[in-house]
Amino acid sequence: MPARRGLVLLLALLLLAMSAAVLASTGTGEEGVRALIRATARSSVLLLCLAFAARPLRQLWRSELSGWMLRARRSLGLGYALCQALHLAAILVVVSVHAGESDLVTWIGGGVGYVFTAAMALTSTDAWVKRLTRKRWTLLHRTGMYVNVGIMAFTFQGGVSEAAEPAPYWLALAAIALASGIRLAAWLRSRR
Ligand code: HEM
């Protein structure tokens, strides 16, 4: 099995195990499924930041780790898409089974994120790079990553002031700031 597919499979198994563990400990009622929504958002941000920082990190620092991250970038992106699919499935359960509240603005903002994520996942093969041309493919994937990172940053910063336990929100924002800082540093260096 190619290494890329092996990592996607491993991430899928880990995400399913995490979802089962969350539901086993918090229950399958509304609170349990909401805990799953939060858990999938938090694992998503980790995968997204790794994929977001992979290429610029390689440009700044040649090491085993940065080489691995660059090679694993597409698998990490597909892992992100899978995690976001679990986020969506849990949201649909809260709305349809538990009649939970959901607002239109979240559906529109989140929906834009999902359109990009689905387009990126569907075009993640070399065949699609050729079909779209490298320039258009990069534009789609770069824009999609920025849109998703933006939604993550916006949603997590809301939790800092609203949540009873702000620590996970600060941690997620720190991961986003670190990945964005790495991209900025690589960009500045490439201009010199
Ligand atoms: C169809 C669109 C979406 C809907 C309806 C939606 C709905 C929700 C809901 C209801 C929660 C709160 C769960 C709770 O604490 O009770 C949540 C949390 C969150 N969502 Fe989504 N979401 C959507 C798409 C997205 C997308 C595309 C992203 C990121 C790119 C995202 C990132 C987050 C984050 C960061 C949190 C906060 C997690 C936490 O509290 O730790 N969501 N979402």
Side-chain angles (χ1 to χ4, degrees):
M1 185 191 301
R4 190 186 290 169
R5 239 181 280 164
L7 181 56
V8 176
L9 192 64
L10 177 68
L11 287 173
L13 290 174
L14 287 173
L15 290 171
L16 286 175
M18 177 200 73
S19 305
V22 169
L23 292 177
S25 63
T26 54
T28 52
E30 182 170 347
E31 269 320 296
V33 186
R34 280 192 183 275
L36 181 58
I37 295 177
R38 289 191 293 278
T40 49
R42 292 169 192 186
S43 349
S44 296
V45 78
L46 185 69
L47 292 165
L48 181 62
C49 285
L50 287 172
F52 192 54
R55 183 192 45 79
L57 186 67
R58 183 68 179 166
Q59 285 170 305
L60 293 171
W61 179 50
R62 292 189 81 79
S63 67
E64 292 256 322
L65 177 68
S66 64
W68 177 82
M69 275 173 66
L70 190 65
R71 286 192 302 279
R73 191 170 56 154
R74 280 195 207 171
S75 309
L76 293 167
L78 284 171
Y80 171 76
L82 279 172
C83 201
Q84 284 292 87
L86 290 171
H87 188 74
L88 183 60
I91 291 161
L92 292 175
V93 169
V94 164
V95 173
S96 58
V97 179
H98 301 297
E101 275 180 37
S102 65
D103 68 70
L104 188 62
V105 178
T106 309
W107 276 104
I108 294 171
V112 172
Y114 276 117
V115 169
F116 274 106
T117 303
M120 288 192 288
L122 291 172
T123 58
S124 70
T125 59
D126 288 334
W128 270 103
V129 179
K130 264 198 208 137
R131 200 175 296 179
L132 287 177
T133 72
R134 167 71 64 181
K135 200 174 162 195
R136 285 201 208 120
W137 188 89
T138 305
L139 180 68
L140 169 68
H141 283 250
R142 193 172 288 166
T143 312
M145 275 207 284
Y146 278 109
V147 166
N148 277 276
V149 169
I151 297 172
M152 286 287 181
F154 177 78
T155 317
F156 278 120
Q157 65 77 32
V160 166
S161 50
E162 285 163 22
E165 267 182 56
Y169 297 89
W170 280 118
L171 216 61
L173 289 175
I176 294 171
L178 181 65
S180 306
I182 291 171
R183 282 191 83 94
L184 181 65
W187 180 75
L188 288 174
R189 183 196 265 194
S190 72
R191 278 171 55 97
R192 260 194 258 130

